[in-house]
Structures are given as C-alpha cells and as structure tokens.
C-alpha cells in the first residue's frame, strides 16, 4: 500500500506556520485542497500572510492551556516550529542582553538555556511533548520537522551545531512523538536552503538556492549530510500524510544530483527501510 486514501476534507493543523517551511507547508496544503488550521501566537502576522485562507487558532507553544481549541477535529498535525540553534533574540530573553551579557551567554550554554524563554529545549522538546499530549488520540499522523545529525552529535559539523543543545532537544522531541503511540513521520532535513529566508545563518545571508535544479534523496539511520530546500521539506511533509509507506518512519532528506522532471514521492517513501 502506498498512496493512502486521504480525503482533502481532513483538517490539518500546522504548527510553526509563519516560519519558512511552515508557510510553504500551508501553501502546498491549500493547493491540494486541504482544510488548514494554524496554531500561532501572532494572529496579525498570520492574517497578513494567509488572508482568510486558513483558520487561525491563537496559541503559544509554552502554554498547553491554549492547545485544546486548536486540536478540535484535527486529523493531521504538521509541526515545523523551531528556534535558532545559537542564542539570538528568538530565544526571547526576559531583557534584551547587552554586549557583555551576550558574550556571557555564548560562553555558558547552560546559562543561556536557563535564561531563555524560547530555547531549543523549550521549543523542540517541551513544546513538542505538550503538543503530543494534547493531540487527538485518533490522529492520523503527527509529522515533525527534526534535523540531520541528531544521532551524530559527536561528529563535525553537528558537534558545533549542537553546542547549545538544539540536536539534543530535537532528538528528545522525536522520542516523545515515537513513544506517544500516535502514527508519525519524522523528517530530518540538512541545512535549510531556498526561501523564505527565516534563519539567522549563512544561507540566509547568501540567499542560497537550489534554483530548483537538485534532486531529492531520502535516507535512514542519520547518514546523510548536505543542504535541503525548504520547498522540498514542505513537500515531504504534505506528501507524507498522503502516503502510508511514510507512516512510523524517520528519514533524512537532502538535495543531491540532477532534478528529474517530477519528484516521485511514492517511490522515495516506498524505498524507506
Ligand atoms: N535552519 C536550518 O538550517 C535547519 C536545519 C535543519 C532543521 N531545521 C528545522 O526546520 C524547521 C523549519 O525551519 P524554518 O527555518 O522554516 O523555521 P522558522 O522560520 O524559524 O520558523 C519557526 C516557527 O516556529 C514558530 N515558533 C517559535 N517559537 C514559538 C512559540 N513559542 N509559540 C508559537 N510558535 C513559535 C515561529 O512563530 P513566529 O512567527 O511567531 O516567531 C515560526 O512560525 C525548524 O523546526 C528547524 O528547527 C532547520
């Protein structure tokens, strides 16, 4: 069995919809005729982005009391929320640090984690655990955007990427989902490339792009390293909920080689071990 019979009437909740991958996920779902609800803490931003094309549920990932209304009638959850790997204003410190304080935070990852309201531990582990607990028990799929490197935190470049615990946090988020008993798909992209450029990193500075010329490679066991188009991550999220071969699978996704005229997601998912 490959393509699952998915009625486009099924309601999909997108978490992190205002982010780079999230915006593309919403676009792809709407293109395919799905009903979309988003969980966002910023209704004005979401309204501007999506007009009235999606249902907006107001919620903060750190406040599970805001989740129940967002979960009503949901068949699928696609979670592409995240924060930066290194301390930044997106970690939401109580007071914006001055230069000396930033230096102290960069020298002391534990202090940085403790002082931040929106650290990886809080967004990628705690919030994901909260979401899993609030999800309807008859959910058809929980799709989570994780990261390449979660099983290689001792190897370069992941040892650097994990200096402030982002890969530890993603791995614990993955475990919470797997242990929940809910049907899941966990997608581990490489370094994100292609817009919307929402990261604070070199790819954003360079506006790095695949120009739509690279193929999609999936792998298991966390062995792939490379860059991944946000467009293909979003497509993988949406295609996976329509395909039973991707259920209870954890896979890496990178761009490599020449791009065929059409990405054959069914074949890619069927080859996952
Ligand atoms: N950057 C990379 O190279 C890379 C590599 C591998 C994996 N990833 C992962 O890929 C995913 C997508 O990345 P991206 O660059 O598209 O993400 P992004 O643009 O940074 O988007 C993050 C999303 O999470 C939301 N969010 C953060 N904290 C929240 C909170 N407390 N309550 C509610 N929403 C919150 C943001 O909402 P607001 O708009 O309200 O801030 C935004 O919608 C992330 O999970 C990231 O960790 C990234």
């Amino acid at each position: 069995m490959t393509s699952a019979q998915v009625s486009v009437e099924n309601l999909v909740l997108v978490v992190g919809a205002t982010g780079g991958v999230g915006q593309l996920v919403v676009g792809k779902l709407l293109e395919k005729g799905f009903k979309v609800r988003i969980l966002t803490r910023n209704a004005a931003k979401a309204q501007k982005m999506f007009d009235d094309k999606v249902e907006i549920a107001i919620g903060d990932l750190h406040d599970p009391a805001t989740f129940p209304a967002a979960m009503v009638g949901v068949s699928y959850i696609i979670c592409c929320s995240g924060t930066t790997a290194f301390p930044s204003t997106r970690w939401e410190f109580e007071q914006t640090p001055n230069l000396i304080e930033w230096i102290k935070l960069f020298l002391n990852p534990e202090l940085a984690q403790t002082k931040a309201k929106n650290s990886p531990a809080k967004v990628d582990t705690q919030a994901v655990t909260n979401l899993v607990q609030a999800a309807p028990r008859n959910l058809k799929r929980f799709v989570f955007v994780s990261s390449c490197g979660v099983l290689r935190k001792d190897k370069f470049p992941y040892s650097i990427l994990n200096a402030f615990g982002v890969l530890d946090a993603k791995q614990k988020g993955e475990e919470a989902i797997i242990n929940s008993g809910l049907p899941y798909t966990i997608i581990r992209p490489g370094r994100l490339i292609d817009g919307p450029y929402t990261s604070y990193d070199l790819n954003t500075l360079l506006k790095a792009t695949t120009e739509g010329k690279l193929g999609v490679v999936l792998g298991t066991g966390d062995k792939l390293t490379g860059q991944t188009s946000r467009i293909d991550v979003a497509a993988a999220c949406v295609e996976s909920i329509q395909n039973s071969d991707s259920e209870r699978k954890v896979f890496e996704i990178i761009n490599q080689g020449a791009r065929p005229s059409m990405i054959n997601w069914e074949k890619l998912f069927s080859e996952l071990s």
Side-chain angles (χ1 to χ4, degrees):
M1 169 84 177
T2 50
S3 274
Q5 289 303 304
V6 174
S7 155
V8 290
E9 279 304 297
N10 283 313
L11 178 61
V12 186
L13 178 70
V14 183
V15 180
T18 51
V21 169
Q23 291 171 50
L24 298 167
V25 165
V26 170
K28 193 115 205 118
L29 287 167
L30 292 175
E31 195 182 289
K32 286 186 177 268
F34 281 98
K35 280 196 334 198
V36 181
R37 180 183 293 154
I38 66 168
L39 178 73
T40 181
R41 55 191 171 163
N42 192 336
K45 183 176 177 181
Q47 184 68 34
K48 203 168 159 198
M49 252 175 202
F50 306 119
D51 292 321
D52 292 322
K53 296 191 184 77
V54 302
E55 195 189 315
I56 296 175
I58 310 292
D60 190 302
L61 286 179
H62 309 309
D63 183 4
T66 60
F67 295 173
M71 295 292 175
V72 175
V74 164
S75 297
Y76 302 94
I77 296 175
I78 299 180
C79 176
C80 21
S81 45
T83 186
T84 52
F86 299 93
S88 73
T89 50
R90 288 207 201 154
W91 280 37
E92 295 172 16
F93 296 98
E94 229 142 77
Q95 282 181 326
T96 308
N98 62 31
L99 182 62
I100 304 290
E101 285 161 346
W102 276 119
I103 292 169
K104 282 188 187 157
L105 293 172
F106 269 87
L107 291 173
N108 189 341
E110 213 170 300
L111 178 75
Q113 288 269 4
T114 318
K115 291 215 166 227
K117 278 199 300 186
N118 220 40
S119 65
K122 287 172 187 143
V123 177
D124 294 315
T125 302
Q126 193 53 55
V128 172
T129 307
N130 293 343
L131 282 170
V132 160
Q133 283 167 358
R137 288 303 99 187
N138 63 349
L139 192 76
K140 293 179 182 162
R141 200 76 66 88
F142 192 110
V143 179
F144 178 52
V145 181
S146 179
S147 176
C148 277
V150 291
L151 305 180
R152 287 175 284 173
K153 290 176 290 214
D154 54 336
K155 306 245 162 32
F156 182 82
Y158 304 109
S159 48
I160 307 288
L161 186 63
N162 196 43
F164 289 83
V166 70
L167 296 177
D168 294 322
K170 285 283 192 198
Q171 188 178 15
K172 286 183 189 149
E174 289 187 3
E175 286 164 4
I177 294 162
I178 293 168
N179 294 334
S180 72
L182 294 170
Y184 64 84
T185 301
I186 292 171
I187 300 174
R188 295 172 175 161
R191 206 143 58 82
L192 292 179
I193 185 169
D194 282 336
Y197 295 99
T198 48
S199 317
Y200 294 169
D201 64 7
L202 194 62
N203 277 350
T204 291
L205 276 178
L206 299 174
K207 298 278 180 282
T209 174
T210 58
E211 294 176 341
K213 289 183 179 155
L214 297 178
V216 171
V217 177
L218 306 187
T220 53
D222 199 15
K223 294 182 198 84
L224 297 178
T225 293
Q227 304 200 99
T228 313
S229 167
R230 283 187 174 82
I231 301 161
D232 289 325
V233 178
C237 291
V238 176
E239 295 292 336
S240 69
I241 64 170
Q242 299 177 281
N243 187 297
S244 56
D245 283 340
S246 63
E247 187 175 322
R248 296 184 201 277
K249 295 280 164 56
V250 183
F251 61 86
E252 295 78 60
I253 174 169
I254 61 162
N255 288 112
Q256 213 172 62
R259 194 172 185 94
S261 55
M262 230 179 72
I263 301 295
N264 187 341
W265 291 100
E266 276 197 16
K267 182 165 183 294
L268 287 170
F269 291 144
S270 73
E271 288 165 355
L272 291 171
S273 49

